[in-house]
Amino acid sequence: MRGLASVPSYVVMQPTTLCNLDCAYCYLPFRAADRRMPVAVAEAVAASVNRWASAGRFSVVWHGGEPLAAGREQLAALMAPFAPEVEHHVQTNATLVDDSWCEFFAAHRMRVSVSVDGPRERNGERVTRAGRPAYDRIVRGVAALRRHGLPFSALAVVNDPSPGRATELYDYFLDLGCEVLGVNIEETEGVNTRANAHDAAAVTGFWAELVSAWRRDPRIHLREVEWSLRYAGAVLDGTADDLLPGRLDPIPTVAYDGSVVVLSPELAGFTDPRYGDFTSGSVLSTPLHTILAGAGRTAWVGEFIDGVEACRSSCPYFGFCGGGHAANRYFELGRFDGTETEHCRNSKIRLLEGVLEHARDHQSPGA
């Protein structure tokens, strides 16, 4: 994890800034504006992506705004320049999903991930632009996916990691029918300035409870827990140093206008007096692979890498998280070379401690 890799594992594409919802915890700055990506941007990105995909598995993640708000015709036109072997993923709030969209997903072999926060009463922050609850529309979209036999993942935001919440959450997603579940404790980032500090014991207990719920019926791939168990197993067999890549994945986000932000999609659309607009270039003037080759020279990226090295030298959890996320440092600490954040505490440190707490509590007698 020293410096940036020249080839990413995936590219994030923003087909539109518009979102038809107005979730209270959303970080996106322009979600009320319909700024759509021109096909020329997709063509420029595909020129690099197709070359990478010819050498091995590669994904494009369509992420808005709400990507489906761009419409099927526009999204199809943006996907067309990419080679057949490129995998396409979409992160959606599912409120626009219907039979026609399901047919689109199937025809384009698109992998779907749905944003939903659990049972109806846990989705109070997910509302329409008129302030009305979006839950019924979300579950109608999920029902359409299931009706068409389309597998899907789910992503849940948790703003209250209290006792009982993890079991409720896991049982809900078992019934929902997703194959993979990602759980994010709410983060302070972008236009969401709400504090995300929680009692340490409560958060550790939340993760331990989630492990317990998963172990009772592990039909869902539980993203955070399975990575934690993989890491713990690697520590025990002495291979933990092999888990993290040698260089940071640049995770390029290509905004609707072709500008490229590396490392953190959450930085796209923001500017700072010290760092400018966080972009490393535009694909409309410079090939994506050339932008990534020079991204390490972007001022804020260099500062972030200094912060990663500070984490390496000071944090016993570094091997687990690899130094955290750039956006969390910036929006919580105001700079990139700081170290521990509330996001680190909630979703890295206490996650691993919760997994280990569960293991200790369920250790066999005499083990």
Side-chain angles (χ1 to χ4, degrees):
M1 299 284 285
R2 297 184 186 275
L4 296 185
S6 59
V7 178
S9 58
Y10 62 97
V11 170
V12 179
M13 299 279 282
Q14 185 184 49
T16 177
T17 57
L18 179 66
C19 187
N20 59 323
L21 298 188
D22 193 21
C23 302
Y25 51 68
C26 184
Y27 62 84
L28 291 165
F30 303 122
R31 61 185 186 271
D34 189 4
R35 302 175 181 178
R36 297 193 181 191
M37 177 179 284
V39 172
V41 171
E43 291 172 340
V45 174
S48 294
V49 165
N50 291 345
R51 185 175 68 179
W52 294 329
S54 68
R57 183 177 181 182
F58 199 89
S59 299
V60 170
V61 179
W62 299 93
H63 197 302
E66 168 52 49
L68 306 193
R72 286 183 293 278
E73 183 177 343
Q74 175 71 2
L75 195 54
L78 293 173
M79 294 171 66
F82 293 94
E85 58 264 33
V86 174
E87 294 182 3
H88 292 276
H89 300 242
V90 62
Q91 185 67 44
T92 176
N93 60 40
T95 60
L96 300 175
V97 174
D98 56 13
D99 291 335
S100 295
W101 270 113
C102 289
E103 292 165 4
F104 180 96
F105 297 148
H108 292 84
R109 293 177 297 153
M110 205 168 199
R111 303 185 180 201
V112 181
S113 179
V114 174
S115 299
V116 58
D117 299 337
R120 179 186 301 275
E121 59 272 18
R122 300 299 187 183
N123 282 265
E125 312 248 41
R126 302 186 61 76
V127 296
T128 68
R129 298 223 145 264
R132 298 188 181 94
Y135 183 75
D136 288 340
R137 295 175 61 187
I138 295 170
V139 295
R140 278 200 299 270
V142 170
L145 293 170
R146 296 186 65 170
R147 190 165 60 246
H148 284 260
L150 295 174
F152 64 96
S153 302
L155 182 63
V157 173
V158 173
N159 54 24
D160 177 25
S162 53
R165 180 74 185 273
T167 300
E168 172 195 75
L169 191 75
Y170 187 76
D171 289 346
Y172 172 83
F173 283 101
L174 276 178
D175 291 339
L176 194 69
C178 64
E179 293 190 340
V180 181
L181 173 61
V183 178
N184 289 349
I185 294 180
E186 183 181 341
E187 301 169 42
T188 302
E189 59 186 2
V191 298
N192 178 23
T193 59
R194 303 192 310 189
N196 63 336
H198 299 283
D199 176 73
V203 179
T204 302
F206 169 85
W207 290 115
E209 182 186 317
L210 190 61
V211 180
S212 295
W214 174 72
R215 288 194 64 195
R216 285 197 300 271
D217 191 353
R219 279 180 287 152
I220 297 176
H221 287 291
L222 197 51
R223 186 182 65 181
E224 287 77 16
V225 168
E226 291 187 28
W227 165 248
S228 303
L229 292 172
R230 183 182 173 196
Y231 174 76
V235 170
L236 291 174
D237 65 20
T239 60
D241 289 345
D242 300 329
L243 283 181
L244 294 176
R247 292 183 178 273
L248 291 163
D249 191 328
I251 318 174
T253 294
V254 182
Y256 75 96
D257 60 357
S259 58
V260 179
V261 173
V262 297
L263 295 169
S264 287
E266 299 85 358
L267 292 170
F270 289 90
T271 59
D272 182 276
R274 293 162 295 170
Y275 309 112
D277 61 7
F278 300 108
T279 64
S280 295
S282 170
V283 297
L284 292 177
S285 57
T286 307
L288 181 57
H289 61 270
T290 302
I291 291 173
L292 296 186
R297 294 190 291 273
T298 305
W300 73 263
V301 175
E303 185 176 294
F304 172 70
I305 291 173
D306 289 344
V308 171
E309 292 306 310
C311 285
R312 186 196 306 276
S313 64
S314 65
C315 182
Y317 297 88
F318 180 83
F320 177 61
C321 81
H325 302 295
N328 296 115
R329 292 173 190 254
Y330 174 72
F331 289 114
E332 287 195 39
L333 307 177
R335 54 186 304 110
F336 292 98
D337 56 1
T339 53
E340 191 172 308
T341 64
E342 290 294 348
H343 175 69
C344 291
R345 300 180 190 105
N346 292 333
S347 299
K348 302 297 181 182
I349 296 172
R350 289 161 194 163
L351 163 61
L352 185 57
E353 290 178 349
V355 170
L356 297 177
E357 179 179 290
H358 170 85
R360 286 191 296 270
D361 291 346
H362 293 79
Q363 188 175 28
S364 300

